[in-house]
Amino acid sequence: MKQHIVVLTGAGISAESGIKTFRDADGLWEGHDVMEVATPEGFKKNPELVLDFYNQRRRQLQTVLPNQAHLDLAALEKTYNVTIVTQNVDDLHERAGSSAIVHLHGELRKARSTGNPEAITPWDQDLHLGDLCKQGYQLRPHIVWFGEDVPKIEAAIEICQTADILVIIGTSMQVYPAAGLLDYTPKNTPIYYIDPKPASVPNKAVTLIQKSATEGTKVLLDLLKDKV
Ligand code: APR
């Protein structure tokens, strides 16, 4: 029976693909006011500003490729049952070939109805005021904004509860409930944390791999090889 590896990823895994992280120097939140572009209140106050912010990110996403870390996680499926739980709204895990992915914070290449949150549709072009769902409601980016519920958190908790190994890659562990997921892994589950500037992870036996995602994933594969 293949062991179950759960991989919790954040913006850091996509940094080497050319996508800015949020809180690093020159991060996305340096250039933009979070409350203006990533809250329902901000969208109400200035929808054009918010739509343009995500249009720019969606356009940029179409110019980048998965990096070796994304590819290595997809290849790991040969030996392990791998589930990716990502905070990222990019589709680089999908494009790398990973088959089991949960997006906690939404997806940039989808739009959602403001009148019916279940009405989610693929969306690759710019999104504008006047772009409506079938029921005539304005469409918005399918992104979980600050202060909004995280609909997939229950599913993610269940996934973590069946982890044989937990791998954390490129996240500052500052945003909840995602950062609390490691508390749901079974006792004594080995945890590996790949990040050049890792956050402190109190009272958990964590193997720190203080490297970039691409370098760190290589180290992880070697460590796992010795375990098989
Ligand atoms: N490889 C691995 N990790 C990296 C790299 C790299 N090349 N470059 C930076 N990092 C690490 C940083 O050290 C930091 O710990 O990636 C992390 C990025 O942290 P954040 O910018 O806070 O991103 P993230 O943790 O994913 O943010 C969580 O916050 O803004 C919201 O909804 C948004 O999903 C996002 C959530």
Side-chain angles (χ1 to χ4, degrees):
M1 223 323 248
K2 281 183 177 176
Q3 283 198 302
H4 184 202
I5 293 189
V6 175
V7 188
L8 176 64
T9 65
I13 195 171
S14 297
E16 292 157 271
S17 293
I19 298 183
K20 281 186 179 174
T21 65
F22 295 93
R23 294 173 185 81
D24 284 306
D26 187 33
L28 268 175
W29 295 151
E30 292 258 320
H32 298 274
D33 176 339
V34 172
M35 302 316 286
E36 281 191 357
V37 295
T39 63
E41 296 76 22
F43 185 62
K44 208 186 228 131
K45 194 170 125 228
N46 190 341
E48 279 101 344
L49 177 82
V50 174
L51 291 176
D52 185 54
F53 173 70
Y54 290 99
N55 286 345
Q56 285 176 35
R57 296 181 60 196
R58 194 179 300 106
R59 276 186 236 128
Q60 191 225 4
L61 179 55
Q62 286 150 11
T63 68
V64 301
L65 295 171
N67 60 54
Q68 195 55 44
H70 296 106
L71 298 169
D72 286 346
L73 292 178
L76 204 52
E77 295 187 11
K78 292 194 198 79
T79 331
Y80 291 88
N81 165 15
V82 180
T83 310
I84 310 273
V85 176
T86 187
Q87 298 169 82
N88 299 345
V89 296
D90 65 52
D91 64 339
L92 297 180
H93 284 300
E94 285 87 349
R95 282 198 261 156
S98 286
S99 60
I101 304 160
V102 174
H103 283 272
L104 287 174
H105 297 161
E107 298 175 67
L108 204 43
R109 296 184 63 187
K110 293 182 178 172
R112 185 200 315 161
S113 165
T114 51
N116 167 10
E118 308 301 313
I120 296 162
T121 179
W123 198 274
D124 273 334
Q125 64 277 23
D126 283 2
L127 188 55
H128 296 292
L129 280 184
D131 290 332
L132 310 179
C133 72
K134 289 199 185 77
Q135 295 156 291
Y137 294 102
Q138 173 63 44
L139 288 170
R140 56 165 276 180
H142 177 48
I143 303 287
V144 175
W145 286 326
F146 287 96
E148 294 189 315
D149 292 342
V150 177
K152 299 252 174 93
I153 195 64
E154 297 306 328
I157 288 171
E158 276 174 35
I159 288 163
C160 288
Q161 287 168 332
T162 65
D164 296 310
I165 296 169
L166 178 71
V167 178
I168 304 168
I169 307 180
T171 175
S172 60
M173 304 292 275
Q174 290 187 39
V175 173
Y176 286 76
L181 282 171
L182 76 170
D183 297 329
Y184 292 93
T185 54
K187 213 160 169 298
N188 305 327
T189 297
I191 301 177
Y192 299 90
Y193 184 8
I194 300 171
D195 193 306
K197 284 185 283 168
S200 69
V201 182
N203 54 25
K204 282 279 175 193
V206 175
T207 303
L208 274 184
I209 303 174
Q210 219 162 327
K211 291 183 178 295
S212 73
T214 53
E215 291 305 315
T217 307
K218 269 207 211 87
V219 172
L220 174 77
L221 296 186
D222 288 344
L223 290 172
L224 292 176
K225 228 177 272 148
D226 305 343
K227 278 174 126 358
V228 175

